[in-house]
Amino acid sequence: YTSYSNQNQFVTYCCKHAVQCLVLVDNVTESRLLGLVERTKEHALFVFTHRRMAITGEDVTLYDIFPISNDFAVVEVIKCLLHDISIGADTRVRLNFQDGDLEVRLPFGSHSRLFLSEVNKAWSGKTCQGKVKREGWDELKREGRHDLVRQSSHTASNKATMLAMPQFGLRDNLIRCELLKNEDIYTYLENFSFFIGTYNVNGQTPKESLRPWLGSTSTPPDMYCVGFQELDLSKEAFFFNDTPKETEWLKAVSEGLHPDAKYALVKLVRLVGIMLLFYVRNEHAKHISEMEAETVGTGIMGRMGNKGAVAIRFRFHNSDICVVNSHLAAHVEEYERRNQDYKDICSRLLFRQHDPALAPLTIMKHNVVLWLGDLNYRLSDLDVDNVKDLIAKKDFETLHSYDQLKRQIDEKAVFVGFVEGEIGFLPTYKYDTGSDQWDTSEKCRVPAWCDRILWRGKNVRQLHYQSHMDLNTSDHKPVSSLLEMGIKLVNEESYKKTFEEIVRSLDKMENECIPSVTLSRREFHFKDVKFMQHQAETLTLFNDGQVPCQFEFIQKLDEPTYCKPWLTANPAKGFIAQGGNVDIDLEVFVNRSTATELNAGRQQIEDILVLHLERGKDYFLSVTGNYLPSCFGSSIQILCQLRDPIQEMPLETIRELVSSPLDIPKEIWQMVDHLYRNAPKQGELFQQPGLRSEFVEIRDCLDTGMPDSLPGSNHSVAEALLLFLDALPEPVVPFSLYQQCLECCSNTSQCKKVVSLLPQCHKNVFNYIAAFLRELLKHSTHNSLDVHILASIFAALLLRSPTKQDLAEKRKTQEFFQHFLVQDLS
């Protein structure tokens, strides 16, 4: 809360929505935070100056205030023109106020659109009179809806995009479906060149020109997709996703592009140290549309962003393209973990569609997929001397036969359907930084092709695939691939003819036919459902009617969604062409949000799904199953009363337990004791993820008591402990004491007092885990752990917020828990 004095007399305020922007101040563009402030139904725009990483109120300073009154006006809303180093999809907004105007440039993305829509709501609440002009907002709505790099007229080439918009109904969706099916009739291919580059920069700053890498082609490419890994290895980047190196490498890339063409930066997306830049030649920018960007972390608990992927998807003319930049798990022996990372990225990285009712797009739902990055696959079954001997002979074919990625692709474990060009260059890892000399450190890493580029799709031809030995900034060498891609362009005359024929055909069918489908089955049973273990059954719909049909799973009376939270239908809605069929996966997955009620027997695996046909009938599907209770998602109090594994105890017995409790749940003791005995010197403990297959074995061992000792690696046991704490329905520090923890976080004695207020079994768990972590810190020279790392990981689990946690609260919870890591307060 802040006080200030002016004619409007806001005494206190709460900033509900904010966005970082660029503001024109005295003809100089400066970075600002723009906040929408609300107090007693009055609104204003607050402009703040800020430190580079603004987290708390102390990091920002109020610069100016613009009331949203009757004199407020949106004068102009336009997309920024594309030119060198400018982000093509930024939106420039000029606002009028009583005492002047304000020009801001908002970054591309849904966050800016949400902010502007909230400003629009605030403005709409005022009486529109005087200078107020709604034309600006009408333009803004059009801009926000399309996400186009540059707004273009509705030509035949993007009519399919128009028909995908929410305002179009069944008929238009049927037309869109038929247009897509007949696309070959009205499109033709034209070749465009795509430069794909990947570079693990090992946390370094740019020390040399990137022109030998990015400008290495004889003619300027039409597009650049440039990926970086390990952009910043600092703790600030890891914990707060903030780094000055983003700007430094962006500048280096922009200066290193081919000099014979002008390029626009269309999109930048980054997750910690994984960054992807997408440039296009200026003349192609108007043909880029439907741009979306997403990120997925595959680090510990599947959340941390030290490993994972960033991706973009876009439509170029009439072709849909997806670009993925990933950094997979390290170390020679961890190829299964890399396989798991790849599968996680494919399943979890989803792009929303313009129509929110449509299912998100997966990576593979594109005409072409480009995948680049530090995939970290190594060479197996060869020692360093044998590898170097084959390199000296330039026998890359023999060396490639030992490559883990090649072997995993041959076994169809990963990258099914992808193509990689022939490798005719030296391994790109590991070099002494600043040289072309192989690793001379004590570890003496075996050289490997860690940095790779693959593609999936038709009409793609690789023109070159090479490394760039001239760049010595990192312990990796950059890699590039030049691809010639056949892009679908629209023949306007053929499109018009096809469109008219489809409309005439639909007119006739709609008058004569009612939609109809045949279901492959109507009853589905899921046996022995377990915590965090996916199960799926397939429903096939066959369109046996005389007209294309639209289906959707709909809500039942008085229920908020079409299914229970542990169940999903994929896809939940869609179209089926006449005589066609579609497979729908009914998927069951119990996570921390649904496990507690199932463990306690208050919910069962039972649901009825209603499948609705537009202009047709409804079909009812029965879903049943049985859930095996788990310690994951059970409360500390209940687990302290269980002396036997949870699956050996009938639910009725668990509900009526009044026996003498254990000091702590035996499951926590088993995991902590295992780590205490086996992992005090384990490197990257609680930072490197385990294997999902091993987690399954650990979970079953804890739930059944078989076998006697925990299976799996130290990393898998460590991650299981974190998942266990995360799944507790009431955290170790109960929600009722969360606010007290924040208020006393800087006072050691007050923190100790709060812990003394915990229920006895919760207090025992808190002290037990803190003591174990203090023991790990005694071996920090081996395991590389420190107080800040452990506090950031465990504070988020032991002190969970009952609502969404902001960054200021996150810092306070870490400060609270640090008191218990630096000294024994038990």
Side-chain angles (χ1 to χ4, degrees), residues 265-489:
L265 173 60
V266 178
K267 189 61 184 170
L268 180 158
V269 56
R270 181 175 61 82
L271 174 67
V272 188
I274 311 169
M275 182 168 76
L276 178 62
L277 306 174
F278 175 44
Y279 293 82
V280 303
R281 291 178 66 159
N282 281 3
E283 57 265 34
H284 300 319
K286 62 184 177 182
H287 300 295
I288 300 286
S289 64
E290 300 182 38
M291 168 66 66
E292 290 290 341
E294 294 293 342
T295 66
V296 166
T298 59
I300 193 76
M301 296 176 67
R303 299 179 191 171
M304 293 294 191
N306 55 324
K307 294 293 188 291
V310 299
I312 61 171
R313 62 93 51 201
F314 58 93
R315 169 164 282 215
F316 181 42
H317 288 281
N318 234 54
S319 292
D320 294 319
I321 300 169
C322 177
V323 186
V324 183
N325 173 26
S326 67
H327 191 189
L328 308 186
H331 307 304
V332 175
E333 69 280 3
E334 294 288 348
Y335 69 90
E336 288 185 85
R337 176 69 224 191
R338 289 187 273 281
N339 293 354
Q340 181 174 299
D341 285 350
Y342 164 80
K343 293 171 184 175
D344 280 351
I345 292 166
C346 289
S347 63
R348 292 172 49 209
L349 204 150
L350 303 172
F351 299 98
R352 64 185 178 178
Q353 298 203 60
H354 289 255
D355 183 350
L358 293 178
L361 291 172
T362 62
I363 291 172
M364 304 306 170
K365 295 284 188 180
H366 293 83
N367 300 125
V368 175
V369 180
L370 308 174
W371 198 303
L372 57 119
D374 180 358
L375 306 188
N376 250 325
Y377 286 93
R378 309 301 175 88
L379 296 171
S380 294
D381 305 325
L382 285 178
D383 62 28
V384 65
D385 291 331
N386 288 332
V387 169
K388 289 181 178 179
D389 181 55
L390 288 169
I391 292 172
K393 296 176 182 177
K394 293 191 176 181
D395 189 356
F396 297 134
E397 183 178 355
T398 300
L399 193 62
H400 192 219
S401 67
Y402 293 93
D403 177 68
Q404 290 178 344
L405 179 57
K406 180 183 184 306
R407 291 180 173 182
Q408 294 305 299
I409 290 176
D410 289 346
E411 294 176 12
K412 300 190 183 303
V414 291
F415 290 102
V416 176
F418 279 83
V419 178
E420 182 180 24
E422 181 180 344
I423 295 179
F425 51 87
L426 296 175
T428 55
Y429 175 83
K430 177 180 184 180
Y431 295 86
D432 288 341
T433 302
S435 76
D436 294 333
Q437 186 173 358
W438 297 115
D439 181 24
T440 59
S441 69
E442 183 180 347
K443 293 182 179 179
C444 193
R445 302 281 193 190
V446 177
W449 287 295
C450 290
D451 310 282
R452 313 289 274 268
I453 298 169
L454 303 92
W455 73 89
R456 184 179 191 267
K458 297 178 180 179
N459 305 309
V460 180
R461 183 169 70 97
Q462 186 168 260
L463 303 180
H464 85 228
Y465 189 25
Q466 62 192 50
S467 64
H468 298 267
M469 300 297 294
D470 294 342
L471 273 67
N472 297 318
T473 297
S474 173
D475 56 356
H476 289 247
K477 298 296 182 183
V479 173
S480 71
S481 172
L482 185 65
L483 300 176
E484 184 181 73
M485 196 179 303
I487 297 297
K488 291 181 286 188
L489 275 64

Side-chain angles (χ1 to χ4, degrees), residues 15 37 148 301 314 439 517 520 697:
C15 189
V37 174
L148 299 181
M301 296 176 67
F314 58 93
D439 181 24
V517 296
S520 61
E697 295 174 357

